[in-house]
Amino acid sequence: MTLLASLRSLSPMARRLVLMRLAIYLGMQCAYFIGVVGTLTYAFDGGVTENALGIVLLNGCIVAGSFVGGPLLDRVGPRRFFSVVVAALVATSLLYQLFATSVAGVLVGAALLGGSWGLGDLVAKSFPAYLTDDPDELKTMNSAIFTVSNVAVIAGPLIGGFVSSVASPQAVFWLLGVCSIAALAPAAGFRPTRNPRAEKEQARRTRRGDDSLRAGFRAVFGSPALALLFWSCFFSFFGYGAFDPLESLYYRDVLHVGVEWMGWLSSAAGVGGVVGSMLLMRVPTRHVNVRTLLAVLASEGAFALLYVGTPWVGVACVGQVLLGVAFGMLTPLLSTLVQTHAPLASIGRVNAVMGFGNNVAGVAPLLCAPALAEVLGVQGTLVLASLLVLLMPAVIALVRRREIARLVDEEAARGQTESASSGIL
């Protein structure tokens, strides 16, 4: 199924949601890698410590943004929440121009971008559940959303690379504001078709109607499926924490390429991501389960080893494309599983908690990445991190095999029941 064919198969509201995500994520991708990491590495000749600080602030503020955004989304609904997202991104674009004249200012900009990013991520991860609860529709919608997200991963760094080559890395933040304002056009006609009010009323009757973030933690760790998803991604993403502060140094000191290659290689990952997201559309719904998720996580580790294992930029390009394929499958697969198992009334808070796990897993290794790089070198540290990504899903699959088998059987039975119900209707 091609991207255009999948978009035509979506409902009008789903197509609007896809365009909303594309617009804001394109701006984020223009701004992030070149605007923050590129500015620190090339404009201010930063090293591991400066990059690590920037990524710690960015990821920490992504967590903070999602923690604020999750309860807010559940309280005000998707339409008003999206207005808040656009306002935060535009404000970040403008304020960054005031701060990006020093390392400290870029770090402030990274914090602002992180907070806005945490809000914006909830659009892709939570909004589909407001449109349908059918697993097959959710899979198709999430695949389309993350396919265009990966298109943004291709186009954003390319556009950002061009702007940075004719102006400066800091200038790419203007694109963040422009793209965010453009997202208001499809958002104007967006209307949710599912209402979580009934679930909220039921929650109040059972004395669990808590509008705070605690309800999200209860929903995640009170559900065997959501808890397993949380820990599987947490331990796997732990290895990727070393990539953020070291990746630009790997380009500069190991591959010996210029700042523009940060854009080109990111775009290569985006190409793979488009392929991966579209491949997921062809995966039968009965295989959309945690066992498939763990296999995809392990493949990421293998492809990451190829990406960082040599000093040759050609091999790195191949590794980035394949790594992008794996990521392209992982994100819509994970989102579909979370949306399937999470109560709609707390979907924002559940995704805030899931995002918290992934981002904490990404932040923690930053504390030791500079020290490891001193001992093992930049490339050695990245290889070690890739091995961790490869091995953790295999360990989880072995240790939790009985629980995984039970969940897979339950999901298969649920899918058959819903398909039968759809046939009756």
Side-chain angles (χ1 to χ4, degrees), residues 248-259:
S248 62
L249 301 178
Y250 170 65
Y251 296 159
R252 188 186 68 184
D253 300 337
V254 178
L255 298 180
H256 302 292
V257 293
V259 64

Side-chain angles (χ1 to χ4, degrees), residues 22-325:
L22 173 61
I24 62 171
Y25 203 62
L26 179 62
M28 292 177 187
Q29 289 299 321
C30 287
Y32 160 57
F33 201 37
I34 294 176
V36 175
V37 180
T39 299
L40 289 172
T41 302
Y42 287 89
F44 295 109
D45 198 28
V48 177
T49 301
E50 289 81 5
N51 285 352
L53 282 173
I55 302 304
V56 164
L57 281 170
L58 181 82
N59 286 347
C61 291
I62 286 176
V63 173
S66 65
F67 273 8
V68 171
L72 180 63
L73 170 60
D74 293 335
R75 187 163 57 249
V76 305
R79 279 177 52 79
R80 282 191 284 178
F81 180 79
F82 192 75
S83 299
V84 173
V85 171
V86 171
L89 291 170
V90 171
T92 298
S93 172
L94 296 174
L95 290 172
Y96 189 80
Q97 309 307 319
L98 300 176
F99 297 130
T101 56
S102 66
V103 170
V106 173
L107 295 179
V108 172
L112 292 172
L113 179 61
S116 303
W117 198 306
L119 294 172
D121 262 357
L122 292 170
V123 174
K125 294 177 179 178
S126 300
F127 279 31
Y130 285 94
L131 300 180
T132 184
D133 60 351
D134 179 81
D136 192 56
E137 288 185 41
L138 281 174
K139 182 195 71 171
T140 302
M141 193 185 312
N142 280 303
S143 295
I145 287 171
F146 287 102
T147 296
V148 300
S149 297
N150 284 299
V151 169
V153 172
I154 300 169
L158 288 174
I159 297 169
F162 173 75
V163 170
S164 66
S165 67
V166 299
S168 68
Q170 297 95 315
V172 299
F173 262 79
W174 285 116
L175 300 171
L176 176 64
V178 172
C179 292
S180 302
I181 292 171
L184 293 174
F190 179 79
R191 300 287 186 280
T193 55
R194 295 183 67 210
N195 191 339
R197 191 169 300 166
E199 286 191 14
K200 289 183 179 179
E201 291 300 324
Q202 177 64 27
R204 290 191 183 96
R205 285 195 292 271
T206 58
R207 297 185 180 181
R208 294 178 70 84
D210 186 355
D211 284 335
S212 73
L213 195 62
R214 288 174 297 183
F217 280 96
R218 280 201 300 267
V220 170
F221 296 108
S223 163
L226 291 175
L228 184 59
L229 291 172
F230 178 94
W231 290 117
S232 297
C233 291
F234 178 88
F235 288 117
S236 298
F237 273 64
F238 194 83
Y240 284 113
F243 274 71
D244 285 332
L246 300 181
E247 203 167 5
S248 62
L249 301 178
Y250 170 65
Y251 296 159
R252 188 186 68 184
D253 300 337
V254 178
L255 298 180
H256 302 292
V257 293
V259 64
E260 67 278 5
W261 276 92
M262 295 178 68
W264 311 152
L265 283 169
S266 294
S267 295
V271 171
V274 170
V275 174
S277 299
M278 296 181 69
L279 279 176
L280 185 66
M281 296 180 190
R282 296 183 176 274
V283 174
T285 304
R286 66 181 182 276
H287 292 311
V288 178
N289 55 46
V290 69
R291 187 175 288 151
T292 302
L293 182 82
L294 290 171
V296 173
L297 284 170
S299 72
E300 289 181 355
F303 296 145
L305 280 172
L306 179 63
Y307 170 41
V308 301
T310 76
W312 304 313
V313 69
V315 176
C317 285
V318 174
Q320 268 286 58
V321 172
L322 293 174
L323 189 55
V325 172

